[in-house]
Amino acid sequence: MRPAFILSILAASAVATDSLKWKDAEPTDQLLWKDTITNPEIIKRIENMDMSTTVDKRSLSSVFDSVTKSISSAVYNLLWTVVAAESLGISKLKDDVSSALSQDIEYRIIQIVEDAKKFMRHSKRNKLLVSDINNALKVRNLEPVYGYELGSKVQYSSVSTAFEDIYYEEEEEIDLSTIINEPLPKIPPKVTYTTHWLAIEGVQPNIPQNPTSSEADDVKKQPLTTSAPETNNVFQNQTSSGTAPLVKHVLSKEHQLYFECVKDSLLSSEKSIQAAAYECVSTDSGIHQLVPYFVQLVSDLIIQNGSDLNTLNISMRLARALLLNDHLYIEPYIHQLLPSLMTCLLGKNLCNDYTENHWSLRDTAASLIGLLCTTYGQSYHTLMQRLSRTFIRSVLDPSLPLETHYGAIKGLYTLGPEAFRVLMIPNIKAYSTIPESELLSKNPGVVLAAEKVLMLLAQCLQEYAKFLKEKQLAGSQNEHQDLIDSGNLESKLSEAYGDKISSLLLSNTEFKPWLHLLLI
């Protein structure tokens, strides 16, 4: 841009008046614009105009509009370019060169400012900072401006000259000898990484790496912190020795309302409302924070209602819904969920009346334990070993009731056919004497339990025979056809598993073709 040219245009515009007629103007008025305008380019353009026509203000202004529109935004003074050239030893700089340099400098300044405004907008700010200018310079591969920081105060001093006041920035003089003689700073330590427990099951260990209790108290005083609902002791924090509950599990109000609604629906007497609650727990993806509360709810329902079969069934269905939800991460809570499942599987008195169907409750608990072993057996290598050891000890303990034996046998079979073959099949004949002797009892509850145990053993053997047939682990049927044709199958089964169990095995014609595989 050309600042001198702008001044010439503005001066010429000031000469023009409303309805000015150049041919009728006084000689002094006709020469006024020549005295004002010194730029030869503008003078030449005005002299070439047709002065014989009447020119009003609008027509005269159109002559200068094309020029003024393009240069009206000039911000870089031509004098600055001349002063900069003189400071570099260039005393005679031509006007056209200085004009071209001024235009280029102004264009570059506008480019950098526009780029800096982009950084400002992307930073969600309305104030342009020094860092924005430096980032704009870096983008254009230019060296940033050093010595200017955010918040730093820059002081300028003025020097009066014959033409105008010149301002300069005051710079502090630093003696290099003082810097050289100063002691060297300490070498910073190398970057190292360490690991520590931030929280264990929602409880923060009291170690130096974690915040102190006073810092935790400051966090608790923040207005955004809310406390979880306290209902049925579900949300009470349990701590172990050596730990301090510095970090609490905080729930939003929405999660609290969700938990209360699901809990009330589970305890409702209407089956449709209960089914809706189970479906929500088994399918919703945004309830991961509620998993420890639901697990604790399962435990509390079992502890507080140990003989209420309906409540125990509700707790098992809730546990099943949690395990079937693919969006939830249940693995950290297995050790809290297993005791509840084991209680419903091996418990002695799960109902008030022996005629109630507590056997289905034990079957459900066994299936959930089998689901846990299938899903997390590889992560916890000792899980199946510990469960199978617990089950076989319960089966071989004659002091335990037959209801517990039933649950242990069912749980042992859910661990897999191989576990049943190794641990249970060699002991079936010796164990079968216990339920067979209880069939003669005068207690109808004991007799019913003995029948259930014998039927379960027969069912497990039939399923195991079917498994052998499908996997073809034994020889072909033709090799053992003589056992079936000669009628030796029943005697062989009685010898291997007892009279009562063999009769139950032969009563089911569906599995009879495969029973000879149990004798191999």
Side-chain angles (χ1 to χ4, degrees):
M1 296 302 177
R2 303 178 181 178
F5 193 28
I6 297 175
L7 297 177
S8 300
I9 295 297
L10 294 178
S13 299
V15 174
T17 58
D18 294 339
S19 302
L20 177 63
K21 296 183 180 180
W22 292 96
K23 62 180 182 177
D24 298 332
E26 295 295 333
T28 54
D29 295 332
Q30 295 180 8
L31 297 175
L32 179 62
W33 63 271
K34 289 187 177 182
D35 296 336
T36 306
I37 301 176
T38 58
N39 191 295
E41 182 179 352
I42 298 298
I43 296 174
K44 183 178 180 180
R45 292 187 61 182
I46 296 176
E47 289 177 347
N48 292 333
M49 293 176 59
D50 188 4
M51 299 301 178
S52 62
T53 59
T54 301
V55 182
D56 58 3
K57 180 180 180 181
R58 182 181 303 176
S59 301
L60 182 61
S61 299
S62 63
V63 178
F64 309 109
D65 284 346
S66 60
V67 182
T68 56
K69 286 182 180 179
S70 60
I71 62 175
S72 60
S73 59
V75 295
Y76 195 81
N77 197 332
L78 182 62
L79 182 60
W80 300 343
T81 305
V82 177
V83 172
E86 291 178 354
S87 64
L88 296 176
I90 304 174
S91 59
K92 296 181 180 180
L93 187 65
K94 296 182 180 180
D95 293 340
D96 55 348
V97 176
S98 61
S99 300
L101 286 176
S102 300
Q103 295 179 41
D104 186 71
I105 292 171
E106 181 178 351
Y107 172 74
R108 301 299 178 185
I109 292 175
I110 292 175
Q111 272 189 328
I112 294 173
V113 173
E114 290 295 331
D115 292 343
K117 287 170 62 178
K118 294 179 182 179
F119 284 100
M120 179 189 70
R121 286 194 297 268
H122 284 291
S123 301
K124 309 298 182 183
R125 287 185 281 99
N126 296 324
K127 183 179 180 180
L128 193 66
L129 303 179
V130 179
S131 58
D132 299 330
I133 299 294
N134 288 334
N135 291 330
L137 292 172
K138 292 178 182 178
V139 166
R140 298 192 173 275
N141 200 21
L142 299 175
E143 189 175 3
V145 179
Y146 299 104
Y148 298 91
E149 298 178 356
L150 181 62
S152 60
K153 296 181 179 180
V154 182
Q155 296 181 354
Y156 293 92
S157 300
S158 63
V159 176
S160 298
T161 62
F163 302 98
E164 60 180 352
D165 293 340
I166 299 177
Y167 293 88
Y168 69 94
E169 181 183 353
E170 291 185 354
E171 296 181 353
E172 181 183 359
E173 295 183 0
I174 300 176
D175 189 2
L176 293 180
S177 61
T178 57
I179 298 178
I180 296 174
N181 295 328
E182 287 182 355
L184 296 176
K186 294 183 179 180
I187 300 176
K190 295 182 179 180
V191 178
T192 57
Y193 298 93
T194 59
T195 58
H196 68 89
W197 287 104
L198 181 62
I200 303 176
E201 298 299 331
V203 179
Q204 181 174 289
N206 191 10
I207 57 178
Q209 290 83 356
N210 288 333
T212 61
S213 58
S214 59
E215 295 177 355
D217 293 338
D218 296 338
V219 174
K220 293 178 182 179
K221 295 178 181 179
Q222 294 180 0
L224 295 179
T225 303
T226 57
S227 58
E230 298 180 359
T231 55
N232 293 335
N233 296 328
V234 175
F235 305 103
Q236 291 182 355
N237 292 326
Q238 299 179 357
T239 59
S240 58
S241 59
T243 61
L246 298 179
V247 178
K248 291 186 178 181
H249 198 182
V250 179
L251 289 179
S252 63
K253 292 183 179 180
E254 290 78 7
H255 279 99
Q256 297 176 26
L257 293 175
Y258 182 94
F259 178 82
E260 291 295 333
C261 182
V262 170
K263 180 182 175 183
D264 295 339
S265 301
L266 292 176
L267 300 179
S268 175
S269 58
E270 298 184 13
K271 299 297 183 182
S272 59
I273 297 179
Q274 291 183 359
Y278 294 135
E279 184 179 0
C280 290
V281 176
S282 61
T283 58
D284 287 350
S285 59
I287 59 173
H288 183 73
Q289 290 186 344
L290 294 175
V291 172
Y293 299 98
F294 280 126
V295 172
Q296 186 63 35
L297 179 60
V298 171
S299 178
D300 289 345
L301 290 176
I302 295 174
I303 293 174
Q304 298 172 8
N305 306 276
S307 299
D308 188 354
L309 185 60
N310 184 34
T311 305
L312 295 179
N313 282 321
I314 290 175
S315 65
M316 289 296 99
R317 291 169 188 163
L318 177 58
R320 177 185 291 276
L322 291 173
L323 293 176
L324 294 180
N325 194 332
D326 297 333
H327 304 286
L328 302 181
Y329 185 55
I330 306 294
E331 185 174 352
Y333 310 101
I334 292 178
H335 67 285
Q336 297 178 0
L337 195 58
L338 267 178
S340 302
L341 301 179
M342 295 292 287
T343 300
C344 293
L345 179 63
L346 304 177
K348 179 180 180 181
N349 298 320
L350 299 180
C351 57
N352 297 321
D353 188 0
Y354 74 92
T355 59
E356 294 181 333
N357 188 16
H358 62 90
W359 312 103
S360 63
L361 174 65
R362 300 179 190 273
D363 295 341
T364 303
S367 65
L368 295 180
I369 291 176
L371 180 61
L372 279 177
C373 294
T374 303
T375 308
Y376 305 104
Q378 296 181 354
S379 301
Y380 297 91
H381 303 289
T382 61
L383 179 61
M384 295 186 64
Q385 298 178 5
R386 295 166 61 185
L387 289 175
S388 59
R389 188 184 303 115
T390 301
F391 291 149
I392 194 62
R393 287 179 179 176
S394 300
V395 171
L396 300 180
D397 189 353
S399 62
L400 296 177
L402 292 177
E403 292 83 358
T404 302
H405 290 175
Y406 178 93
I409 296 172
K410 188 70 176 180
L412 193 60
Y413 188 76
T414 56
L415 296 182
E418 189 65 21
F420 185 79
R421 180 188 69 84
V422 174
L423 298 176
M424 194 63 208
I425 289 182
N427 300 307
I428 286 182
K429 183 177 182 181
Y431 170 76
S432 63
T433 58
I434 298 177
E436 289 177 359
S437 62
E438 296 294 343
L439 292 174
L440 304 176
S441 176
K442 296 181 180 181
N443 188 345
V446 176
V447 175
L448 178 61
E451 293 176 352
K452 287 288 186 180
V453 170
L454 292 174
M455 291 177 62
L456 177 62
L457 286 173
Q459 181 183 356
C460 292
L461 287 172
Q462 291 170 355
E463 294 291 337
Y464 180 68
K466 183 179 180 180
F467 168 76
L468 293 179
K469 177 63 178 178
E470 294 175 353
K471 297 298 183 180
Q472 297 181 356
L473 297 180
S476 63
Q477 291 185 1
N478 296 331
E479 298 178 3
H480 305 279
Q481 192 69 27
D482 56 337
L483 295 177
I484 301 176
D485 297 339
S486 61
N488 294 331
L489 180 61
E490 183 176 359
S491 61
K492 293 290 186 181
L493 289 175
S494 299
E495 181 181 353
Y497 302 108
D499 297 336
K500 187 64 177 177
I501 295 179
S502 63
S503 62
L504 291 174
L505 290 174
L506 295 172
S507 63
N508 193 337
T509 58
E510 180 184 356
F511 295 93
K512 189 174 181 178
W514 308 327
L515 294 179
H516 66 279
L517 300 177
L518 298 175
L519 303 175
I520 300 174

